[in-house]
Amino acid sequence: MRIRPLPTQLVNQIAAGEVVERPASVIKELVENSLDAGATRIEIEVEQGGVKRIRVRDNGRGIHPDDLALALSRHATSKISNLEQLERVSSMGFRGEALPSIASVSRLTLVTRQAGTDRGWQLSGDGREEAGGLVPAAHPEGTSVEVRDLFFNTPARRKFLRTEKTEFGHVETLVKRLVLSRFDVAFSLKHNRREVLSHSAASDRHEQERRVAGLLGPAFLEQALYLEQEHMGLRLSGWVAHPTFSRSQADMQYFYVNGRIVRDRLVTHAVRQAYRDVLYHGRHPAYVLYLSVDPLLVDVNVHPTKHEVRFRDGRQVHDFLFRTLHHTLAGTSPGQGVDQETGEILSAAGVARQDGAPVAGGETHPPGEQQQPFRFQLKDQRAGYGASLALQRPVPAAGVADGKPGQQEIPPLGYALAQLKGVYILAENADGLVVVDMHAAHERITYECFKREWAGEGIRSQPLLVPVPVAVSQREADLAESNSDLFRGLGMEVGRLSDQALVVRAIPILLQGTDAERLLRDLLADLVVHGESVRIQQEIDQVLSSMACHGSVRANRRLTPEEMNALLREMEVTERSDQCNHGRPTWVQLGMGELDRLFMRGQ
C-alpha cells in the first residue's frame, strides 16, 4: 500500500474520537472555551441528554469575524503562539482541535459578537470539509455554539451512546465540576427546557460555601474543614470532609490544578495517605480542593482531554498535599473546635498535658482482660469530679446573671454522668448529651501515644538471621541502590548482589516475622509509581494499632467517675480522637433540640 494523506474530514473525525466521547465531552470543550474568553456568565441548554441539541452561550470577548473560519480549522488557536507560551500555558484549552472535531460529527452553528461592535456573525457546518459562509446575525456580546444531532454522520459512534437519562447524568456531573472550578462565573443548566441548576457568581467565602452546599448538599459543608496553606510556590485551599463523612464510592472528590479539574494518581495517593488511619476500611474521603502552581511546573498537555497532568516535581507536590491534609485532619478531636463562620480549625481546648505525657490512657498493657487503673492525679480527680457535680446543679433562670465558674468553663465533652452497659460513657456538656464509645476512644488515645513514642525513638533495625535474596529488574535494582539512605531511614538494610538481584539484610524490629521479600517488592513498586513510599510506616502503624487495641480499656469494664472524666479530658487533647484506629466514630453529640424532639417537647 502507498502512503497518502487522509482527507481533512476524516482527520477531523479521527480527532473527534479523542476529544468527543459523548455530549458531556462537547459541553466540557465549549465551556472551557467560554472561560478562556473571559466569560462571567455561561448558559448551557441540552435536549435529549445532549444527543439532539446542545447550546452553550457566554458573555465573553467574542470572536473577530475574520477569524471565524479559522475557529473551525485544526491547530488554529488564539491562546499560544510560541514554545514559551506552550510551556507556561494557563488557558483551559489551546490545541485548536475541539471545534473542528465537534463540527465534523454534528451540525454546528457558531454565532458571535465582539465587545464594542454593533453586529454579530454566524458560521455553520454540517460535517463537510468546507463550512458555510459568514452571515450577519443578531446576538448580544459574547458567543453561542449550538450542536445538533451529535454523531449523525458516524453511526458506529452513535451506537455507543446510552439512554437519555444516562447521558444527561454525565452532563450534570460534568457541569457540577465546572461550576465548582470557577466561583467568579455564573452558570445555568437546562435540560429539555427545564432549569436544573442556576448559580450566580460567588464573590466571598460565604457565597462560595452556598454554592458548594447547593452542589454537594448541606451535609458535606456541615462536616467539612476549610483549609488554606501555601509553601514554596504551592498553594492549597478548599474543603475536606470529616472522616466520618465518608462515601461508599469516590463520587465526591473534586481536585483542581490551576482551575482545571484533574484525575491524578499522585494526588489520589497523597489524599488517601492523609486519611490513612482515620478512614473506615473500604470508604472514600470527600473533598473539594484547589491547587495553585506555577504553570511552568505542570504539564497539562499529556492527554487529549487534559484530565491528567504531570508535575515537574511530583514528590514535592505529593509531600505538600499529604502534610497539609494530614495536619488538617489531625485536628479532628473534640478539643479542636471549628469556627462556625469560617470553617477553620481553632486551637485545642481542654486540659493540657503535663511534662509532655498524657494525663490518662498512655500506659500499655499485655493482651488479656486484666487492666490497670487509669493514671490520674488526685487533684485532677477532685477537680474533675467536683466540676461534674457543679454541672448538674440547676441552670439559672433567664435573666439571672451568669457567673458560676462550673457552668462557664465546661470542657467540650463535658463531665461524666454514668456508664451504660459497660460500653458507653454518658456525659453532659454545654450543648446537651455526649455518648462516648469508651473502648474506641481509649484505643485512639493509646495508638497516638504509641506513635509519638515510636517517632521519638526512630525506626530501629533487626538484622535477619538469614539474609533474603530478591530477584528484581535492573530498573528496580538501580532504584534501590540510589535510595539506600531512604531504606536505612525506614529501618531496612538492602544491598545489591548483581544487576538484577538485591538482598535484604535487616528489617524494622517491630516487623520481625514479616515477609521481607514482599515488603521490599511493595516498597519498590511505591517508588516506581509515586517516587516515595510510606509502606514501612503503614506496616508499623498496623502493628501499633493492634497493640493499642489490646492495651485499651475493654467493654464491660466498670470505670469510676474519675476514670470516665480522665478519658474525656484525654480525648480533648489527642489528635484524631474523633475516630478510632479503624475509622469508626468515638463519640456523638445529642443536642437539647434533638432530645426535645424525641420527647415532643414544645410541640
mmCIF file of all heavy atoms in Angstrom, residues 208-252:
data_model
loop_
_atom_site.group_PDB
_atom_site.id
_atom_site.type_symbol
_atom_site.label_atom_id
_atom_site.label_comp_id
_atom_site.label_asym_id
_atom_site.label_seq_id
_atom_site.Cartn_x
_atom_site.Cartn_y
_atom_site.Cartn_z
ATOM 1 N N GLN A 208 -19.394 31.323 48.284
ATOM 2 C CA GLN A 208 -18.769 30.123 47.736
ATOM 3 C C GLN A 208 -19.273 28.878 48.446
ATOM 4 O O GLN A 208 -19.555 27.849 47.816
ATOM 5 C CB GLN A 208 -17.249 30.239 47.868
ATOM 6 C CG GLN A 208 -16.626 31.286 46.975
ATOM 7 C CD GLN A 208 -15.158 31.518 47.273
ATOM 8 O OE1 GLN A 208 -14.555 30.803 48.085
ATOM 9 N NE2 GLN A 208 -14.567 32.521 46.643
ATOM 10 N N GLU A 209 -19.423 28.964 49.758
ATOM 11 C CA GLU A 209 -19.890 27.805 50.506
ATOM 12 C C GLU A 209 -21.362 27.521 50.221
ATOM 13 O O GLU A 209 -21.792 26.365 50.264
ATOM 14 C CB GLU A 209 -19.627 28.007 51.992
ATOM 15 C CG GLU A 209 -18.134 27.968 52.305
ATOM 16 C CD GLU A 209 -17.817 28.038 53.790
ATOM 17 O OE1 GLU A 209 -18.714 28.458 54.555
ATOM 18 O OE2 GLU A 209 -16.693 27.680 54.168
ATOM 19 N N ARG A 210 -22.127 28.555 49.911
ATOM 20 C CA ARG A 210 -23.505 28.327 49.493
ATOM 21 C C ARG A 210 -23.532 27.535 48.189
ATOM 22 O O ARG A 210 -24.361 26.638 48.004
ATOM 23 C CB ARG A 210 -24.235 29.662 49.311
ATOM 24 C CG ARG A 210 -24.648 30.342 50.606
ATOM 25 C CD ARG A 210 -25.395 31.623 50.337
ATOM 26 N NE ARG A 210 -26.569 31.419 49.497
ATOM 27 C CZ ARG A 210 -27.314 32.401 49.006
ATOM 28 N NH1 ARG A 210 -26.981 33.660 49.251
ATOM 29 N NH2 ARG A 210 -28.362 32.139 48.271
ATOM 30 N N ARG A 211 -22.611 27.871 47.269
ATOM 31 C CA ARG A 211 -22.534 27.134 46.007
ATOM 32 C C ARG A 211 -22.127 25.682 46.258
ATOM 33 O O ARG A 211 -22.711 24.764 45.685
ATOM 34 C CB ARG A 211 -21.559 27.811 45.041
ATOM 35 C CG ARG A 211 -21.390 27.056 43.744
ATOM 36 C CD ARG A 211 -20.450 27.759 42.769
ATOM 37 N NE ARG A 211 -21.035 28.931 42.159
ATOM 38 C CZ ARG A 211 -20.546 29.541 41.071
ATOM 39 N NH1 ARG A 211 -19.442 29.050 40.483
ATOM 40 N NH2 ARG A 211 -21.125 30.598 40.574
ATOM 41 N N VAL A 212 -21.124 25.478 47.110
ATOM 42 C CA VAL A 212 -20.675 24.124 47.427
ATOM 43 C C VAL A 212 -21.820 23.316 48.041
ATOM 44 O O VAL A 212 -22.059 22.163 47.665
ATOM 45 C CB VAL A 212 -19.459 24.158 48.376
ATOM 46 C CG1 VAL A 212 -19.112 22.759 48.866
ATOM 47 C CG2 VAL A 212 -18.255 24.779 47.676
ATOM 48 N N ALA A 213 -22.524 23.929 48.991
ATOM 49 C CA ALA A 213 -23.637 23.232 49.637
ATOM 50 C C ALA A 213 -24.746 22.920 48.644
ATOM 51 O O ALA A 213 -25.380 21.863 48.705
ATOM 52 C CB ALA A 213 -24.176 24.073 50.794
ATOM 53 N N GLY A 214 -24.990 23.841 47.705
ATOM 54 C CA GLY A 214 -26.024 23.611 46.704
ATOM 55 C C GLY A 214 -25.694 22.467 45.771
ATOM 56 O O GLY A 214 -26.589 21.771 45.288
ATOM 57 N N LEU A 215 -24.412 22.252 45.504
ATOM 58 C CA LEU A 215 -23.994 21.204 44.578
ATOM 59 C C LEU A 215 -23.757 19.862 45.265
ATOM 60 O O LEU A 215 -24.067 18.817 44.707
ATOM 61 C CB LEU A 215 -22.725 21.635 43.838
ATOM 62 C CG LEU A 215 -22.902 22.816 42.875
ATOM 63 C CD1 LEU A 215 -21.541 23.353 42.436
ATOM 64 C CD2 LEU A 215 -23.713 22.385 41.661
ATOM 65 N N LEU A 216 -23.174 19.895 46.456
ATOM 66 C CA LEU A 216 -22.817 18.653 47.147
ATOM 67 C C LEU A 216 -23.743 18.334 48.313
ATOM 68 O O LEU A 216 -23.619 17.269 48.916
ATOM 69 C CB LEU A 216 -21.371 18.726 47.658
ATOM 70 C CG LEU A 216 -20.290 19.045 46.622
ATOM 71 C CD1 LEU A 216 -18.915 18.888 47.234
ATOM 72 C CD2 LEU A 216 -20.429 18.146 45.410
ATOM 73 N N GLY A 217 -24.635 19.248 48.642
ATOM 74 C CA GLY A 217 -25.544 19.022 49.756
ATOM 75 C C GLY A 217 -25.042 19.695 51.021
ATOM 76 O O GLY A 217 -23.836 19.781 51.254
ATOM 77 N N PRO A 218 -25.952 20.182 51.858
ATOM 78 C CA PRO A 218 -25.540 20.871 53.090
ATOM 79 C C PRO A 218 -24.783 19.973 54.058
ATOM 80 O O PRO A 218 -23.968 20.451 54.835
ATOM 81 C CB PRO A 218 -26.871 21.349 53.690
ATOM 82 C CG PRO A 218 -27.922 20.472 53.063
ATOM 83 C CD PRO A 218 -27.416 20.135 51.700
ATOM 84 N N ALA A 219 -25.029 18.649 54.009
ATOM 85 C CA ALA A 219 -24.353 17.743 54.942
ATOM 86 C C ALA A 219 -22.841 17.774 54.727
ATOM 87 O O ALA A 219 -22.071 17.684 55.686
ATOM 88 C CB ALA A 219 -24.882 16.325 54.781
ATOM 89 N N PHE A 220 -22.401 17.893 53.466
ATOM 90 C CA PHE A 220 -20.958 17.946 53.201
ATOM 91 C C PHE A 220 -20.339 19.151 53.891
ATOM 92 O O PHE A 220 -19.313 19.039 54.572
ATOM 93 C CB PHE A 220 -20.684 18.007 51.701
ATOM 94 C CG PHE A 220 -19.244 18.322 51.365
ATOM 95 C CD1 PHE A 220 -18.267 17.327 51.401
ATOM 96 C CD2 PHE A 220 -18.847 19.610 51.045
ATOM 97 C CE1 PHE A 220 -16.939 17.621 51.112
ATOM 98 C CE2 PHE A 220 -17.530 19.910 50.746
ATOM 99 C CZ PHE A 220 -16.564 18.913 50.788
ATOM 100 N N LEU A 221 -20.956 20.314 53.709
ATOM 101 C CA LEU A 221 -20.376 21.527 54.277
ATOM 102 C C LEU A 221 -20.421 21.511 55.796
ATOM 103 O O LEU A 221 -19.508 22.012 56.462
ATOM 104 C CB LEU A 221 -21.104 22.760 53.727
ATOM 105 C CG LEU A 221 -20.285 24.035 53.672
ATOM 106 C CD1 LEU A 221 -19.039 23.853 52.818
ATOM 107 C CD2 LEU A 221 -21.111 25.182 53.137
ATOM 108 N N GLU A 222 -21.476 20.925 56.362
ATOM 109 C CA GLU A 222 -21.558 20.830 57.821
ATOM 110 C C GLU A 222 -20.433 19.974 58.383
ATOM 111 O O GLU A 222 -19.988 20.189 59.512
ATOM 112 C CB GLU A 222 -22.910 20.235 58.219
ATOM 113 C CG GLU A 222 -24.096 21.163 57.966
ATOM 114 C CD GLU A 222 -25.423 20.445 58.138
ATOM 115 O OE1 GLU A 222 -25.388 19.247 58.506
ATOM 116 O OE2 GLU A 222 -26.469 21.064 57.890
ATOM 117 N N GLN A 223 -19.956 19.014 57.599
ATOM 118 C CA GLN A 223 -18.910 18.095 58.064
ATOM 119 C C GLN A 223 -17.537 18.445 57.489
ATOM 120 O O GLN A 223 -16.597 17.667 57.630
ATOM 121 C CB GLN A 223 -19.271 16.669 57.648
ATOM 122 C CG GLN A 223 -20.533 16.134 58.291
ATOM 123 C CD GLN A 223 -20.334 15.836 59.762
ATOM 124 O OE1 GLN A 223 -19.252 15.459 60.184
ATOM 125 N NE2 GLN A 223 -21.375 16.017 60.551
ATOM 126 N N ALA A 224 -17.421 19.591 56.832
ATOM 127 C CA ALA A 224 -16.173 19.920 56.133
ATOM 128 C C ALA A 224 -15.280 20.842 56.962
ATOM 129 O O ALA A 224 -15.759 21.674 57.741
ATOM 130 C CB ALA A 224 -16.475 20.576 54.793
ATOM 131 N N LEU A 225 -13.981 20.677 56.787
ATOM 132 C CA LEU A 225 -12.981 21.553 57.379
ATOM 133 C C LEU A 225 -12.370 22.391 56.267
ATOM 134 O O LEU A 225 -11.962 21.853 55.229
ATOM 135 C CB LEU A 225 -11.877 20.725 58.057
ATOM 136 C CG LEU A 225 -12.324 19.746 59.146
ATOM 137 C CD1 LEU A 225 -11.162 18.840 59.536
ATOM 138 C CD2 LEU A 225 -12.841 20.498 60.361
ATOM 139 N N TYR A 226 -12.328 23.688 56.452
ATOM 140 C CA TYR A 226 -11.736 24.566 55.440
ATOM 141 C C TYR A 226 -10.238 24.679 55.696
ATOM 142 O O TYR A 226 -9.785 24.756 56.843
ATOM 143 C CB TYR A 226 -12.365 25.958 55.498
ATOM 144 C CG TYR A 226 -11.783 26.901 54.469
ATOM 145 C CD1 TYR A 226 -12.156 26.799 53.135
ATOM 146 C CD2 TYR A 226 -10.854 27.866 54.827
ATOM 147 C CE1 TYR A 226 -11.613 27.641 52.181
ATOM 148 C CE2 TYR A 226 -10.308 28.714 53.878
ATOM 149 C CZ TYR A 226 -10.694 28.606 52.560
ATOM 150 O OH TYR A 226 -10.159 29.434 51.614
ATOM 151 N N LEU A 227 -9.461 24.690 54.622
ATOM 152 C CA LEU A 227 -8.013 24.821 54.758
ATOM 153 C C LEU A 227 -7.481 25.787 53.713
ATOM 154 O O LEU A 227 -8.068 25.967 52.640
ATOM 155 C CB LEU A 227 -7.324 23.463 54.631
ATOM 156 C CG LEU A 227 -7.436 22.728 53.294
ATOM 157 C CD1 LEU A 227 -6.246 23.032 52.399
ATOM 158 C CD2 LEU A 227 -7.538 21.227 53.516
ATOM 159 N N GLU A 228 -6.377 26.390 54.043
ATOM 160 C CA GLU A 228 -5.695 27.306 53.129
ATOM 161 C C GLU A 228 -4.227 27.328 53.536
ATOM 162 O O GLU A 228 -3.889 27.766 54.633
ATOM 163 C CB GLU A 228 -6.303 28.707 53.206
ATOM 164 C CG GLU A 228 -5.844 29.632 52.100
ATOM 165 C CD GLU A 228 -6.636 30.928 52.059
ATOM 166 O OE1 GLU A 228 -7.691 31.007 52.735
ATOM 167 O OE2 GLU A 228 -6.201 31.856 51.366
ATOM 168 N N GLN A 229 -3.359 26.815 52.682
ATOM 169 C CA GLN A 229 -1.945 26.667 53.026
ATOM 170 C C GLN A 229 -1.093 26.961 51.808
ATOM 171 O O GLN A 229 -1.430 26.596 50.692
ATOM 172 C CB GLN A 229 -1.676 25.236 53.518
ATOM 173 C CG GLN A 229 -0.268 24.998 54.039
ATOM 174 C CD GLN A 229 0.001 25.720 55.345
ATOM 175 O OE1 GLN A 229 -0.892 25.857 56.157
ATOM 176 N NE2 GLN A 229 1.201 26.181 55.546
ATOM 177 N N GLU A 230 0.052 27.619 52.039
ATOM 178 C CA GLU A 230 0.965 27.957 50.951
ATOM 179 C C GLU A 230 2.388 27.634 51.373
ATOM 180 O O GLU A 230 2.784 27.890 52.511
ATOM 181 C CB GLU A 230 0.835 29.440 50.593
ATOM 182 C CG GLU A 230 1.569 29.829 49.325
ATOM 183 C CD GLU A 230 1.174 31.206 48.828
ATOM 184 O OE1 GLU A 230 0.264 31.827 49.428
ATOM 185 O OE2 GLU A 230 1.767 31.675 47.831
ATOM 186 N N HIS A 231 3.147 27.049 50.447
ATOM 187 C CA HIS A 231 4.534 26.681 50.755
ATOM 188 C C HIS A 231 5.318 26.500 49.463
ATOM 189 O O HIS A 231 4.914 25.742 48.572
ATOM 190 C CB HIS A 231 4.565 25.374 51.568
ATOM 191 C CG HIS A 231 5.945 24.912 51.940
ATOM 192 N ND1 HIS A 231 6.746 25.607 52.828
ATOM 193 C CD2 HIS A 231 6.672 23.838 51.536
ATOM 194 C CE1 HIS A 231 7.900 24.966 52.960
ATOM 195 N NE2 HIS A 231 7.873 23.897 52.183
ATOM 196 N N MET A 232 6.432 27.202 49.354
ATOM 197 C CA MET A 232 7.369 27.062 48.236
ATOM 198 C C MET A 232 6.671 27.125 46.876
ATOM 199 O O MET A 232 6.890 26.290 45.990
ATOM 200 C CB MET A 232 8.166 25.755 48.365
ATOM 201 C CG MET A 232 9.087 25.712 49.569
ATOM 202 S SD MET A 232 10.049 24.193 49.657
ATOM 203 C CE MET A 232 11.091 24.367 48.186
ATOM 204 N N GLY A 233 5.814 28.111 46.709
ATOM 205 C CA GLY A 233 5.159 28.309 45.421
ATOM 206 C C GLY A 233 3.943 27.450 45.193
ATOM 207 O O GLY A 233 3.289 27.567 44.148
ATOM 208 N N LEU A 234 3.596 26.571 46.142
ATOM 209 C CA LEU A 234 2.397 25.745 46.048
ATOM 210 C C LEU A 234 1.343 26.283 47.008
ATOM 211 O O LEU A 234 1.655 26.622 48.151
ATOM 212 C CB LEU A 234 2.702 24.289 46.401
ATOM 213 C CG LEU A 234 3.748 23.580 45.539
ATOM 214 C CD1 LEU A 234 4.068 22.217 46.139
ATOM 215 C CD2 LEU A 234 3.261 23.425 44.112
ATOM 216 N N ARG A 235 0.112 26.369 46.550
ATOM 217 C CA ARG A 235 -0.967 26.856 47.402
ATOM 218 C C ARG A 235 -2.156 25.911 47.307
ATOM 219 O O ARG A 235 -2.608 25.586 46.215
ATOM 220 C CB ARG A 235 -1.398 28.261 46.981
ATOM 221 C CG ARG A 235 -2.486 28.862 47.881
ATOM 222 C CD ARG A 235 -2.845 30.278 47.455
ATOM 223 N NE ARG A 235 -3.827 30.860 48.346
ATOM 224 C CZ ARG A 235 -5.148 30.691 48.223
ATOM 225 N NH1 ARG A 235 -5.625 29.945 47.236
ATOM 226 N NH2 ARG A 235 -5.973 31.246 49.085
ATOM 227 N N LEU A 236 -2.618 25.448 48.464
ATOM 228 C CA LEU A 236 -3.747 24.532 48.525
ATOM 229 C C LEU A 236 -4.846 25.157 49.367
ATOM 230 O O LEU A 236 -4.599 25.638 50.474
ATOM 231 C CB LEU A 236 -3.326 23.189 49.139
ATOM 232 C CG LEU A 236 -4.404 22.101 49.168
ATOM 233 C CD1 LEU A 236 -4.741 21.637 47.752
ATOM 234 C CD2 LEU A 236 -3.958 20.916 50.023
ATOM 235 N N SER A 237 -6.047 25.146 48.848
ATOM 236 C CA SER A 237 -7.193 25.648 49.598
ATOM 237 C C SER A 237 -8.407 24.791 49.269
ATOM 238 O O SER A 237 -8.392 24.006 48.314
ATOM 239 C CB SER A 237 -7.476 27.122 49.241
ATOM 240 O OG SER A 237 -7.797 27.243 47.856
ATOM 241 N N GLY A 238 -9.454 24.951 50.066
ATOM 242 C CA GLY A 238 -10.684 24.210 49.816
ATOM 243 C C GLY A 238 -11.235 23.558 51.061
ATOM 244 O O GLY A 238 -10.952 23.980 52.192
ATOM 245 N N TRP A 239 -12.005 22.506 50.852
ATOM 246 C CA TRP A 239 -12.718 21.856 51.940
ATOM 247 C C TRP A 239 -12.460 20.349 51.911
ATOM 248 O O TRP A 239 -12.523 19.713 50.854
ATOM 249 C CB TRP A 239 -14.223 22.090 51.801
ATOM 250 C CG TRP A 239 -14.630 23.521 51.888
ATOM 251 C CD1 TRP A 239 -15.036 24.207 53.000
ATOM 252 C CD2 TRP A 239 -14.686 24.475 50.810
ATOM 253 N NE1 TRP A 239 -15.339 25.511 52.698
ATOM 254 C CE2 TRP A 239 -15.124 25.713 51.359
ATOM 255 C CE3 TRP A 239 -14.387 24.417 49.452
ATOM 256 C CZ2 TRP A 239 -15.284 26.853 50.585
ATOM 257 C CZ3 TRP A 239 -14.539 25.561 48.678
ATOM 258 C CH2 TRP A 239 -14.986 26.755 49.234
ATOM 259 N N VAL A 240 -12.153 19.787 53.072
ATOM 260 C CA VAL A 240 -12.027 18.333 53.216
ATOM 261 C C VAL A 240 -13.056 17.886 54.247
ATOM 262 O O VAL A 240 -13.216 18.508 55.294
ATOM 263 C CB VAL A 240 -10.608 17.908 53.647
ATOM 264 C CG1 VAL A 240 -9.627 18.127 52.531
ATOM 265 C CG2 VAL A 240 -10.156 18.630 54.906
ATOM 266 N N ALA A 241 -13.747 16.818 53.923
ATOM 267 C CA ALA A 241 -14.794 16.340 54.821
ATOM 268 C C ALA A 241 -14.203 15.603 56.008
ATOM 269 O O ALA A 241 -13.159 14.961 55.906
ATOM 270 C CB ALA A 241 -15.766 15.436 54.074
ATOM 271 N N HIS A 242 -14.876 15.721 57.118
ATOM 272 C CA HIS A 242 -14.539 14.957 58.309
ATOM 273 C C HIS A 242 -14.526 13.468 57.958
ATOM 274 O O HIS A 242 -15.340 13.011 57.148
ATOM 275 C CB HIS A 242 -15.605 15.237 59.375
ATOM 276 C CG HIS A 242 -15.207 14.842 60.752
ATOM 277 N ND1 HIS A 242 -15.262 13.543 61.184
ATOM 278 C CD2 HIS A 242 -14.760 15.570 61.803
ATOM 279 C CE1 HIS A 242 -14.862 13.485 62.447
ATOM 280 N NE2 HIS A 242 -14.556 14.700 62.843
ATOM 281 N N PRO A 243 -13.607 12.678 58.521
ATOM 282 C CA PRO A 243 -13.536 11.253 58.172
ATOM 283 C C PRO A 243 -14.840 10.493 58.352
ATOM 284 O O PRO A 243 -15.090 9.523 57.633
ATOM 285 C CB PRO A 243 -12.437 10.727 59.098
ATOM 286 C CG PRO A 243 -11.566 11.908 59.356
ATOM 287 C CD PRO A 243 -12.501 13.082 59.418
ATOM 288 N N THR A 244 -15.676 10.914 59.302
ATOM 289 C CA THR A 244 -16.947 10.208 59.490
ATOM 290 C C THR A 244 -17.906 10.465 58.336
ATOM 291 O O THR A 244 -18.855 9.707 58.144
ATOM 292 C CB THR A 244 -17.608 10.633 60.814
ATOM 293 O OG1 THR A 244 -17.720 12.054 60.860
ATOM 294 C CG2 THR A 244 -16.795 10.148 61.993
ATOM 295 N N PHE A 245 -17.665 11.529 57.561
ATOM 296 C CA PHE A 245 -18.474 11.798 56.371
ATOM 297 C C PHE A 245 -17.775 11.158 55.175
ATOM 298 O O PHE A 245 -17.264 11.813 54.286
ATOM 299 C CB PHE A 245 -18.643 13.298 56.154
ATOM 300 C CG PHE A 245 -19.578 13.644 55.020
ATOM 301 C CD1 PHE A 245 -20.944 13.674 55.220
ATOM 302 C CD2 PHE A 245 -19.097 13.942 53.750
ATOM 303 C CE1 PHE A 245 -21.812 13.988 54.178
ATOM 304 C CE2 PHE A 245 -19.952 14.262 52.703
ATOM 305 C CZ PHE A 245 -21.318 14.282 52.918
ATOM 306 N N SER A 246 -17.718 9.839 55.174
ATOM 307 C CA SER A 246 -17.049 9.119 54.092
ATOM 308 C C SER A 246 -18.096 8.553 53.153
ATOM 309 O O SER A 246 -19.288 8.525 53.456
ATOM 310 C CB SER A 246 -16.166 8.002 54.656
ATOM 311 O OG SER A 246 -16.950 7.095 55.410
ATOM 312 N N ARG A 247 -17.642 8.093 51.985
ATOM 313 C CA ARG A 247 -18.552 7.631 50.947
ATOM 314 C C ARG A 247 -18.230 6.181 50.567
ATOM 315 O O ARG A 247 -17.089 5.733 50.681
ATOM 316 C CB ARG A 247 -18.407 8.499 49.693
ATOM 317 C CG ARG A 247 -18.438 9.987 49.961
ATOM 318 C CD ARG A 247 -19.821 10.512 50.148
ATOM 319 N NE ARG A 247 -20.600 10.434 48.920
ATOM 320 C CZ ARG A 247 -21.868 10.803 48.830
ATOM 321 N NH1 ARG A 247 -22.497 11.258 49.900
ATOM 322 N NH2 ARG A 247 -22.517 10.708 47.688
ATOM 323 N N SER A 248 -19.245 5.490 50.084
ATOM 324 C CA SER A 248 -19.010 4.130 49.610
ATOM 325 C C SER A 248 -18.319 4.129 48.255
ATOM 326 O O SER A 248 -17.693 3.144 47.871
ATOM 327 C CB SER A 248 -20.332 3.360 49.516
ATOM 328 O OG SER A 248 -21.206 4.007 48.597
ATOM 329 N N GLN A 249 -18.427 5.254 47.521
ATOM 330 C CA GLN A 249 -17.774 5.405 46.228
ATOM 331 C C GLN A 249 -16.965 6.706 46.226
ATOM 332 O O GLN A 249 -17.220 7.600 47.023
ATOM 333 C CB GLN A 249 -18.807 5.446 45.088
ATOM 334 C CG GLN A 249 -19.734 4.256 45.032
ATOM 335 C CD GLN A 249 -19.001 2.978 44.656
ATOM 336 O OE1 GLN A 249 -18.015 3.008 43.935
ATOM 337 N NE2 GLN A 249 -19.496 1.841 45.144
ATOM 338 N N ALA A 250 -16.018 6.794 45.288
ATOM 339 C CA ALA A 250 -15.211 8.024 45.186
ATOM 340 C C ALA A 250 -15.936 9.030 44.305
ATOM 341 O O ALA A 250 -15.406 9.521 43.297
ATOM 342 C CB ALA A 250 -13.834 7.693 44.615
ATOM 343 N N ASP A 251 -17.181 9.357 44.678
ATOM 344 C CA ASP A 251 -18.030 10.197 43.835
ATOM 345 C C ASP A 251 -18.106 11.641 44.307
ATOM 346 O O ASP A 251 -18.812 12.452 43.699
ATOM 347 C CB ASP A 251 -19.443 9.609 43.774
ATOM 348 C CG ASP A 251 -20.104 9.548 45.153
ATOM 349 O OD1 ASP A 251 -19.378 9.611 46.167
ATOM 350 O OD2 ASP A 251 -21.334 9.425 45.222
ATOM 351 N N MET A 252 -17.418 11.977 45.374
ATOM 352 C CA MET A 252 -17.446 13.350 45.873
ATOM 353 C C MET A 252 -16.013 13.829 46.096
ATOM 354 O O MET A 252 -15.643 14.302 47.158
ATOM 355 C CB MET A 252 -18.277 13.435 47.163
ATOM 356 C CG MET A 252 -18.811 14.822 47.460
ATOM 357 S SD MET A 252 -19.953 14.881 48.870
ATOM 358 C CE MET A 252 -21.453 14.260 48.121
#
